[in-house]
Amino acid sequence: MPSLIVTSGALAGQVFSFGEMAVVGRGQFTEVRLNHPTVSRRHALLRETPEGFELTDQDSANGTRHRGQRITAPVRIADGDEIEFGEVKTLFRGERAENVSSPGLSLDEHNTGVRETIDPQRFAAALGSETPGLRDLLARLKLFCDLGMIARREAALREQLGQALDALLAAFPRAQRAAVYRSDSASEVLATVAERARANAPTPFAQADAFLREALRLQNGINIVEPVSRAALDAFCALLGEFAGNFALAFDAQGGLFIGGGIAPHLREYLPRSQFRSRFNAKGRMTRFLEAIPAYLILHEDPAFIGLQSLAMRRPWNS
């Protein structure tokens, strides 16, 4: 699967995989989204042709460069070519590339104007044979981009899950088995949705179910079995839904209501089954209005920093 690997700036290390055609830009609906002030909303187009991939600039403000030369007409690109979109440098990797690699990294530690180029392979060797190299890191980053591409394809769910598990086993050679489980919290049973195993894989771990259950408990942060504690949690969810509904009604939040904080993210499995939504909607003659308002749960640990990062990248800072 072809991809672009960002090699400069704050976006360095990001890997964008795409299909037969991809729009590169800063816009929300681009296949390769480079959120940088020097990148136009619709900056360039990558398109597969019978001869290979072709790069075309889309009348961008800061231009597109192929191997250091600004392009004014479509050009053919090959595996390993450096492409610049504004001030963002990327490396193109073709679908048939055997390995994912990165060009040398340039460093100027003391602002002397003299930049030292570091070979990633030599750098990885200096770290030791047991430390994953930059090549492995970029390969695994690309893996998760490929998983995103699989999820976007129109195919049966089980087929998509099978392809994703095959990709995981290929990326992690030491793994013997990969599986996807569905948790039914009402009966506390873990059901296998999809599973892949190598030919020489041993039998499944006997205590795997217990370990997975404990992992879910740690991830979700809740496992209440006492009736009094569960009643208290039910009351909390009901009050949260009632307050959220009042808030949405007062501010006409037709675009949706976003809930964050320190407690709610740990209730992501429990909240949908509680009285949250029913109390959210229960507003008399305004019930139908509130039924159309979606409620979202913010799961990111530091959502404020995501907003600050986006704001900082849009604003040009004077050095």
Side-chain angles (χ1 to χ4, degrees), residues 16-319:
F16 299 90
S17 298
F18 48 89
E20 298 176 354
M21 185 175 66
V23 175
V24 182
R26 187 165 44 90
Q28 182 178 1
F29 300 105
T30 53
E31 283 76 17
V32 179
R33 188 180 184 188
L34 302 175
N35 193 5
H36 193 275
T38 63
V39 178
S40 301
R41 293 186 180 277
R42 187 180 175 91
H43 197 104
L45 176 68
L46 290 165
R47 184 172 63 90
E48 187 177 19
T49 66
E51 295 78 21
F53 269 88
E54 183 181 81
L55 172 67
T56 308
D57 185 73
Q58 299 290 291
D59 297 325
S60 61
N62 295 304
T64 303
R65 290 175 175 79
H66 174 240
R67 294 182 178 177
Q69 300 295 323
R70 185 162 181 168
I71 64 173
T72 57
V75 296
R76 190 179 306 170
I77 58 177
D79 179 58
D81 284 358
E82 185 180 70
I83 305 173
E84 298 179 49
F85 306 97
E87 296 181 1
V88 179
K89 294 183 179 181
T90 65
L91 182 73
F92 174 74
R93 301 300 294 176
E95 186 171 5
R96 292 185 176 85
E98 295 181 359
N99 296 304
V100 179
S101 61
S102 165
L105 304 177
S106 297
L107 301 178
D108 183 6
E109 296 183 0
H110 306 292
N111 295 323
T112 60
V114 179
R115 303 181 70 84
E116 178 185 0
T117 300
I118 299 176
D119 183 3
Q121 281 71 32
R122 292 177 58 191
F123 182 71
L127 290 177
S129 59
E130 305 211 351
T131 303
L134 183 60
R135 182 188 299 267
D136 294 335
L137 175 62
L138 293 177
R140 290 179 183 181
L141 286 172
K142 185 177 183 300
L143 162 68
F144 289 104
C145 294
D146 291 344
L147 292 178
M149 290 295 297
I150 292 174
R152 292 173 58 184
R153 295 173 185 166
E154 293 186 2
L157 177 60
R158 291 186 181 274
E159 180 181 350
Q160 288 181 326
L161 290 175
Q163 294 173 356
L165 294 177
D166 289 335
L168 283 171
L169 288 176
F172 298 93
R174 295 184 180 181
Q176 297 295 321
R177 189 182 302 272
V180 177
Y181 293 88
R182 181 184 61 193
S183 64
D184 185 357
S185 53
S187 58
E188 297 186 354
V189 172
L190 291 175
T192 305
V193 179
E195 185 175 5
R196 289 288 191 275
R198 301 190 189 278
N200 58 344
T203 57
F205 185 42
Q207 285 78 30
D209 187 81
F211 274 87
L212 286 171
R213 245 193 281 261
E214 179 65 13
L216 286 173
R217 186 190 70 79
L218 293 175
Q219 179 180 356
N220 299 332
I222 182 171
N223 187 22
I224 296 178
V225 294
E226 295 181 359
V228 175
S229 301
R230 188 173 291 273
L233 183 61
D234 290 337
F236 172 82
C237 295
L239 290 173
L240 180 63
E242 186 169 342
F243 176 80
N246 292 337
F247 191 88
L249 191 59
F251 288 91
D252 192 22
Q254 297 186 47
L257 189 75
F258 295 82
I259 303 172
I263 298 178
H266 295 288
L267 304 176
R268 57 182 174 183
E269 297 290 337
Y270 194 84
L271 204 59
R273 305 190 311 272
S274 69
Q275 298 183 40
F276 172 84
R277 191 70 214 194
S278 61
R279 296 288 285 271
F280 182 95
N281 296 336
K283 296 293 181 289
R285 59 183 180 179
M286 302 303 295
T287 295
R288 300 199 46 149
F289 174 79
L290 287 165
E291 287 176 347
I293 296 179
Y296 302 98
L297 190 60
I298 301 174
L299 299 178
H300 197 281
E301 294 181 357
D302 297 305
F305 287 101
I306 299 297
L308 289 173
Q309 181 188 30
S310 177
L311 181 63
M313 294 181 69
R314 278 182 284 167
R315 176 178 176 180
W317 297 92
N318 296 325
S319 57

